[in-house]
């Protein structure tokens, strides 16, 4: 399992969402070809991804939608509830706390922290913003396993250090900088600025070259 690539895991998440849509539409069976078409990849890639974790379908018959969805849900660790803390009660933190989809997928945000006195004690997303100094005690008391960093860049590494020291097992970082954590902590970074830059690069290269005006 340690050799499974992140691209494979991302595609599993995509398959899971497609299966949810198909099940909602009343579909009971889906072929690897149809699953591939919904994701814009080849059916061979779908079969290869799924074969990393076992055998889930029958040749010529396809996959049972409900069964495959539950299998992928278990593979992704969504068969249990995860307790989450958000550090940073600014715009990004507020947006994350307002999103209700996390709870539907098994991620329960149970605490939010900040270091700004003006924010501490305020209510955000149904939670009271707590002083980041209390983070270790709250993590232990609430059994928090995942921390979300929604702070300015300058504070991100310090927060990562605090989360790791408190015993958090996974960190989702929204600050646009590279962070360093112990090997026992799993780190994922969502860098929106980098995604925009990649999009800008692609669009700029796709534009036809401008003609120079004749003198």
């Amino acid at each position: 399992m340690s050799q499974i690539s992140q691209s494979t895991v991302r595609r599993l998440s995509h398959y899971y969402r497609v299966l949810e849509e198909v099940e909602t539409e009343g579909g009971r069976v889906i072929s690897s070809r149809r699953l591939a078409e919904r994701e814009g990849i080849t059916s061979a890639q779908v079969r290869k991804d799924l074969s990393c974790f076992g055998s889930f379908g029958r040749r010529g018959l396809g996959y049972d939608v409900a069964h495959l969805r539950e299998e992928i849900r278990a593979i992704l660790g969504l068969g249990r509830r995860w307790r989450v803390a958000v550090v940073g009660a600014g715009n990004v933190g507020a947006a994350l706390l307002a999103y209700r989809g996390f709870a539907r997928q098994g991620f329960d945000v149970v605490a939010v922290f900040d270091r700004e006195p003006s924010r501490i004690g305020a209510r955000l997303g149904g939670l009271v913003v707590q002083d980041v100094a209390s983070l270790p005690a709250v993590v232990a008391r609430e059994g928090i396993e995942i921390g979300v960093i929604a702070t300015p860049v300058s504070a991100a590494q310090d927060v990562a250090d605090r989360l790791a020291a408190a015993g958090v097992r996974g960190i989702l970082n929204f600050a646009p900088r590279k962070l360093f954590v112990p090997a026992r902590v799993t780190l994922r970074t969502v860098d929106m600025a980098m995604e925009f830059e990649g999009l800008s690069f692609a669009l700029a290269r796709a534009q036809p070259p401008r003609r120079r005006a004749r003198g």
Side-chain angles (χ1 to χ4, degrees):
M1 288 299 175
S2 61
Q3 301 303 314
I4 303 299
S5 69
Q6 284 304 306
S7 57
T8 297
V9 175
R10 282 193 290 270
R11 286 193 295 271
L12 284 179
S13 292
H14 293 164
Y15 302 154
Y16 182 73
R17 282 157 178 75
V18 170
L19 292 166
E20 281 188 318
E21 292 175 11
V22 172
E23 193 169 26
T24 300
E25 295 164 1
R28 298 177 61 185
V29 177
I30 190 169
S31 66
S32 59
R33 179 181 60 80
R34 187 183 175 199
L35 193 54
E37 288 173 350
R38 295 284 287 260
E39 283 303 298
I41 57 177
T42 66
S43 57
Q45 183 66 68
V46 172
R47 292 192 295 271
K48 180 180 178 181
D49 289 339
L50 295 177
S51 69
C52 293
F53 304 93
S55 179
F56 305 107
R58 296 175 63 184
R59 185 179 294 275
L61 297 178
Y63 303 98
D64 179 281
V65 171
H67 174 69
L68 183 58
R69 186 178 68 82
E70 286 304 311
E71 290 288 347
I72 294 178
R73 179 178 175 83
I75 291 168
L76 293 174
L78 301 177
R80 52 157 292 181
R81 309 296 299 184
W82 294 95
R83 296 176 72 77
V84 181
V86 174
V87 184
N91 293 333
V92 175
L96 293 171
L97 287 163
Y99 180 60
R100 301 304 177 191
F102 296 134
R104 289 196 297 271
Q105 292 297 90
F107 300 95
D108 298 318
V109 181
V110 298
V112 56
F113 301 91
D114 207 288
R115 68 179 182 185
E116 291 295 327
S118 60
R119 292 174 178 165
I120 296 171
R123 295 195 68 85
L124 193 62
L127 297 170
V128 176
V129 179
Q130 303 179 70
D131 192 326
V132 73
S134 66
L135 188 147
V138 177
V139 166
R141 184 177 69 244
E142 297 291 341
I144 294 168
E145 295 181 273
I146 297 175
V148 179
I149 298 177
T151 66
V153 172
S154 59
Q157 184 61 59
D158 176 65
V159 171
D161 294 341
R162 288 173 182 262
L163 288 169
V168 164
R169 296 171 55 198
I171 295 175
L172 182 61
N173 171 42
F174 282 89
R177 66 158 292 179
K178 184 176 180 60
L179 300 179
F180 299 90
V181 296
R184 60 180 173 77
V185 177
T186 299
L187 173 68
R188 296 288 179 269
T189 295
V190 180
D191 191 334
M192 296 299 293
M194 187 177 292
E195 296 301 325
F196 272 119
E197 288 161 5
L199 183 60
S200 173
F201 173 79
L203 294 176
R205 291 179 65 85
Q207 291 178 349
R210 295 181 180 178
R211 293 183 178 180
R212 292 184 179 179
R214 294 183 177 178

